[in-house]
Amino acid sequence: LPPYYTPDGNPFEGISAVRRGPPAVGLNPSVPGSAAVTGTEVRNPGRLFSSAVADCVLLGGRWYFEATLQTAGAIQIGWCCPARFAPNPELGRGVGDDDSSVSVDLFRRATFAARQSEPVPGTRRWAVGDVVGCGADLDARRFLFTLNGNVVAQLDARHLGVATSAGIAPAVTLRSGASVVLNMGATPMRFK
């Protein structure tokens, strides 16, 4: 996962203290057997919501990843603290529905954080092929969400009570039948 707003070159040079995990970031279902992960594609073949979390932990600095929608509908894309994130597929709880995560869902035109949702005014519903950008500035404890390169929401974790001190990771929660492809730095970003 490359740093957010960093010039080309080695994105990990000089930042080893703020990132833990493998050089090539992968994804894991947060509940075994719920999300199907193939490379950087996450899909939900089940009937309940399912979540996947990246296998790296970010402890400081600025970070960014993109998610390209393969389907539309209810999908929560954002960040979670892997040590504390506890989604509940039975209750429809995923990224942004607890105190350890934040997300955006532009099908419902809302952000989710600390068990609260806030409307995202002035945006259209997302569609297949749209690219959702997720930025995090852990030092300032701020999150940024974009749609096809345009900022649609900014969240301040200090006021929301979202925990970031134990580190965060990219995460996604998908409705039944939904699919996204995450770009965590393996290829050039579309809207960096």
Side-chain angles (χ1 to χ4, degrees), residues 34-35 44-51 88-92 173-178:
S34 62
N44 180 358
R47 62 177 185 79
L48 303 174
F49 279 89
S50 65
S51 301
N88 187 326
E90 296 289 332
L91 297 177
T173 297
L174 307 110
R175 67 165 173 78
S176 178

Side-chain angles (χ1 to χ4, degrees), residues 56-133:
C56 70
V57 176
L58 311 170
L59 300 163
R62 295 179 187 163
W63 303 88
Y64 178 80
F65 75 94
E66 292 178 340
T68 301
L69 302 180
Q70 304 298 300
T71 60
I75 303 170
Q76 292 173 216
I77 302 169
W79 304 90
C80 77
C81 173
R84 297 180 50 192
F85 181 56
N88 187 326
E90 296 289 332
L91 297 177
R93 293 189 184 143
V95 181
D97 296 328
D98 64 6
D99 293 336
S100 68
S101 60
V102 299
S103 68
V104 67
D105 178 345
L106 291 180
F107 179 76
R108 293 182 276 183
R109 295 187 190 119
T111 58
F112 296 86
R115 299 179 187 167
Q116 301 173 34
S117 66
E118 292 292 329
V120 177
T123 61
R124 65 170 174 80
R125 281 189 166 175
W126 56 26
V128 173
D130 280 344
V131 177
V132 178

